[in-house]
Structures are given as structure tokens and as C-alpha cells.
Amino acid sequence: MFSNHNLIKSPPFIRVDLISYRNLLIYLDKKIQQKVMYNFHFALNKFGYLFLGNSESLEEISKFYKTIDVKWKILQNISEAKNIVNQNKNGYKYFTSIRKIINKLTSQILWVFYLLKKQNSKKKLNFA
């Protein structure tokens, strides 16, 4: 499948097996390069492949990849963890694990159900 996609503004695709681009990052500043690389990592399936250009490198995200071919810079995603790059109002970046978000939301939902049940213990509650 082929599609137009803005790497900087659009949310990343998901469940991708191969991302290939050559010498794209050299035209972007450092902060945007990092965001794009984390978006690529988020999009790739575990054991999916990333094909870089000669002048590009992974830098801090390299821990998530295994090098398949050094000359052609073919890398394989070896991490199941998915991280989202966010930026707070002061401009500082932080990384949020999808698993942490889901766990936090789940615990909050369970807490709300507990409070509702406790508050309405005499009434029967039905949730759809």
C-alpha cells in the first residue's frame, strides 16, 4: 500500500514490516530527526526492517534495533516496546510507553467502577 504521509505532523502508521527511506533525515533538524525515528520505531512490527541511507544513523534509538547489513544499513526491530514522543508546553520531550498508558487508564477505570459500586451498593448497576 502506498500513501502520502507527513512524517512530522501525521501520526505514524502501525503494523509496518518495512520502512525504507534514503537520506531523508539529513534535511531535518536534530529534534525532528529524533521524532521521526521514534515514529518509525512505533510503526514497525517486531522483527520489521528499517532501511537507512548512507549518511543516516539511529543514535539513541539504536538499542531497539539489530544490524542486519552494515554496508546497506538494513536494521531489524527487536523490541516489542512501543514509545510515543511527546512534547510538553515547555518544549521538553518525554517518552511514554503505550503499556504504561494502558495500565494507568485501566486502573483508573477500575477505580471508578469500584467507587460507583460502593456508592450504589444497594442499586444494581449494569454497564454496557
Side-chain angles (χ1 to χ4, degrees):
M1 174 173 41
F2 294 91
S3 173
N4 289 329
H5 189 77
N6 184 330
L7 295 174
I8 300 165
K9 294 181 182 177
S10 301
F13 290 120
I14 57 171
R15 295 190 292 264
V16 177
D17 291 315
L18 171 68
I19 297 176
S20 174
Y21 67 92
R22 308 263 310 150
N23 302 322
L24 166 74
L25 295 179
I26 60 176
Y27 300 105
L28 306 174
D29 73 8
K30 190 75 169 168
K31 287 182 182 178
I32 295 176
Q33 285 178 11
Q34 288 179 346
K35 180 179 180 183
V36 168
M37 291 305 293
Y38 273 96
N39 283 344
F40 286 162
H41 177 255
F42 181 83
L44 271 177
N45 286 331
K46 186 172 182 182
F47 306 119
Y49 294 94
L50 181 62
F51 186 26
L52 297 175
N54 292 335
S55 58
E56 296 163 330
S57 65
L58 293 175
E59 296 183 20
E60 67 182 52
I61 197 167
S62 63
K63 61 187 172 195
F64 299 124
Y65 292 94
K66 174 177 83 171
T67 303
I68 301 298
D69 189 298
V70 175
K71 179 183 176 187
W72 292 104
K73 291 199 175 179
I74 299 172
L75 306 146
Q76 186 176 36
N77 180 19
I78 57 171
S79 172
E80 269 193 58
K82 299 293 184 183
N83 296 302
I84 301 173
V85 178
N86 294 313
Q87 204 164 16
N88 64 16
K89 61 185 175 185
N90 298 326
Y92 298 105
K93 69 176 182 180
Y94 58 96
F95 304 101
T96 308
S97 168
I98 296 294
R99 185 172 287 144
K100 286 181 186 174
I101 292 171
I102 291 171
N103 287 343
K104 186 173 183 180
L105 288 174
T106 303
S107 65
Q108 289 174 348
I109 290 169
L110 290 174
W111 181 246
V112 168
F113 283 139
Y114 170 76
L115 291 176
L116 286 171
K117 187 175 180 181
K118 186 176 177 183
Q119 187 178 27
N120 299 310
S121 61
K122 294 179 182 172
K123 298 178 187 175
K124 184 173 181 178
L125 297 176
N126 292 319
F127 297 102

